[in-house]
Amino acid sequence: MKILITGAAGFIGSHVSAELLRQGYDVVGIDSMNDYYSLELKRDRLRELLASKRFHFLEVDISDFGQIESVSNKIRADKILHLAAQAGVRYSIDHPHAYSSANLVGHFHLLELARKWEVDNFVYASSSSVYGGNTKVPFCETDQTDDPVSFYGATKKSNELMSHSYSSLYGLSASGLRFFTVYGPKGRPDMAYWIFADKIKRGAPIKVFNQGNMKRDFTYIDDIVSGTIAALEKPAREFATGAPHRIYNLGNDQPEYLLDLISEIESALNLEAKKQFMPIQKGDVPNTWAEISRARSELGFQPSTTLHEGIEKFMHWFSARGDRYK
């Protein structure tokens, strides 16, 4: 079984690739290797994957259809896991073109590739950001998602609509995974937990938005990996009625205060953060919370890592390597 993974040098992509290789799959990874954050971190993730003879890598920009056509002529995969995207809610406010290119055009190109290959299953990354201004918690897959508060969230909602149309038109079995605040070792340096750890370690002040009244459904990377692989192994056609397209929340079902996250990092470093309390930022929402009964029943998804355990594992990795990726 050969699986194509886009964004293979990314945080989630590299972790999922490593687990699939461990399970005996053949993996072809593609990534644009852009410099949105540390290229050295991306290269280190790739270096670990390339130690396996069953992993092959191609540097490809998914927004370039010529490069995608070249991939389609060189290889063929049974399934596609599409994780490549321009990430970041706040970055999308000032750099919308990066999101239209990678998240809209790039997603379309992968749908076309999946149609051409007639893959058994197409799984792609959506985001909890699609819930936007929704005030009802917990967030359920059947909730309205037509009130995005960030352009990033709007592109992810667009990905879901595009995928549904391909499922309806061409019978493509597709599953969209709404990830909720994923964290852990080898994560992204632009994420809050990494920024907090770096600044607290250096004695620099940290900005705490919405005066600290923020809650996030922090989800540890190993739990996300298990849910993602389950979605790959259980095509949407097994559960969907009508078009074979299914949406799943992948979260911890345990929202935590931002101040509790900071407290865990302070404890791990044995240091006290210098906190600057700020108003909520444009594009942010005060709370996220995943209702995961669908993922539990259909995918067997059962997150088990507490915030304390997850931050402890991250800090163990970060303390030894974090300075390498500034």
Side-chain angles (χ1 to χ4, degrees), residues 112 115 161-172 242-244:
E112 275 292 281
R115 180 167 76 98
L161 294 172
M162 294 161 72
S163 300
H164 187 89
S165 70
Y166 264 63
S167 293
S168 179
L169 289 168
Y170 308 116
L172 175 65

Side-chain angles (χ1 to χ4, degrees), residues 102-289:
N103 298 10
L104 300 179
V105 176
H107 190 81
F108 163 65
H109 290 164
L110 265 296
L111 285 170
E112 275 292 281
L113 187 60
R115 180 167 76 98
K116 179 178 180 179
W117 283 350
E118 298 181 332
V119 297
D120 175 64
N121 200 11
F122 177 76
V123 177
Y124 64 95
S126 184
S127 168
S128 62
S129 294
V130 302
Y131 290 106
N134 187 12
T135 57
K136 169 190 161 292
V137 291
F139 299 161
C140 182
E141 293 93 343
T142 55
D143 290 345
Q144 290 293 319
T145 53
D146 55 2
D147 184 22
V149 296
S150 70
F151 187 60
Y152 170 70
T155 64
K156 286 300 182 179
K157 177 60 179 178
S158 298
N159 290 168
E160 295 180 0
L161 294 172
M162 294 161 72
S163 300
H164 187 89
S165 70
Y166 264 63
S167 293
S168 179
L169 289 168
Y170 308 116
L172 175 65
S173 186
S175 297
L177 309 180
R178 292 176 178 170
F179 295 134
F180 280 71
T181 317
V182 188
Y183 73 100
K186 296 186 285 186
R188 286 184 7 229
D190 65 319
M191 294 292 286
Y193 67 96
W194 184 308
I195 294 171
F196 290 159
D198 176 59
K199 290 191 172 183
I200 295 171
K201 183 180 178 182
R202 293 189 287 108
I206 62 172
K207 294 180 179 179
V208 183
F209 294 103
N210 202 32
Q211 313 302 328
N213 297 314
M214 305 273 278
K215 294 181 83 172
R216 289 290 181 268
D217 202 347
F218 297 107
T219 314
Y220 189 66
I221 183 61
D222 289 358
D223 294 322
I224 289 294
V225 168
S226 66
T228 301
I229 293 176
L232 270 173
E233 294 176 338
K234 297 181 179 181
R237 71 172 71 89
E238 296 182 12
F239 308 105
T241 56
H245 179 243
R246 205 73 170 140
I247 296 294
Y248 296 101
N249 285 339
L250 293 189
N252 203 41
D253 191 19
Q254 184 64 53
E256 307 268 5
Y257 280 105
L258 189 63
L259 289 173
D260 291 335
L261 169 72
I262 295 169
S263 178
E264 291 289 352
I265 296 171
E266 288 175 320
S267 179
L269 290 171
N270 197 28
L271 294 169
E272 184 175 351
K274 299 174 182 176
K275 305 178 187 72
Q276 294 180 340
F277 290 94
M278 312 282 287
I280 195 168
Q281 280 200 312
K282 185 186 295 185
D284 263 354
V285 294
N287 303 306
T288 66
W289 181 357

Side-chain angles (χ1 to χ4, degrees), residues 24-93:
Y25 287 92
D26 289 328
V27 176
V28 177
I30 65 176
D31 201 292
S32 68
M33 301 300 288
N34 67 43
D35 61 358
Y36 172 63
Y37 62 83
S38 170
L39 271 172
E40 190 169 12
L41 175 55
K42 295 180 181 181
R43 293 188 186 109
D44 283 351
R45 292 171 182 151
L46 271 182
R47 192 174 296 113
E48 293 179 16
L49 297 174
L50 288 166
S52 170
K53 293 181 179 179
R54 292 193 308 278
F55 181 79
H56 304 277
F57 178 72
L58 298 169
E59 188 169 328
V60 171
D61 180 352
I62 62 169
S63 67
D64 185 326
F65 189 65
Q67 293 186 39
I68 293 296
E69 277 195 311
S70 178
V71 168
S72 71
N73 293 330
K74 290 177 182 177
I75 62 168
R76 192 178 186 91
D78 303 290
K79 301 181 181 185
I80 294 176
L81 175 58
H82 175 38
L83 299 174
Q86 177 58 58
V89 168
R90 292 167 187 163
Y91 191 75
S92 70
I93 295 171

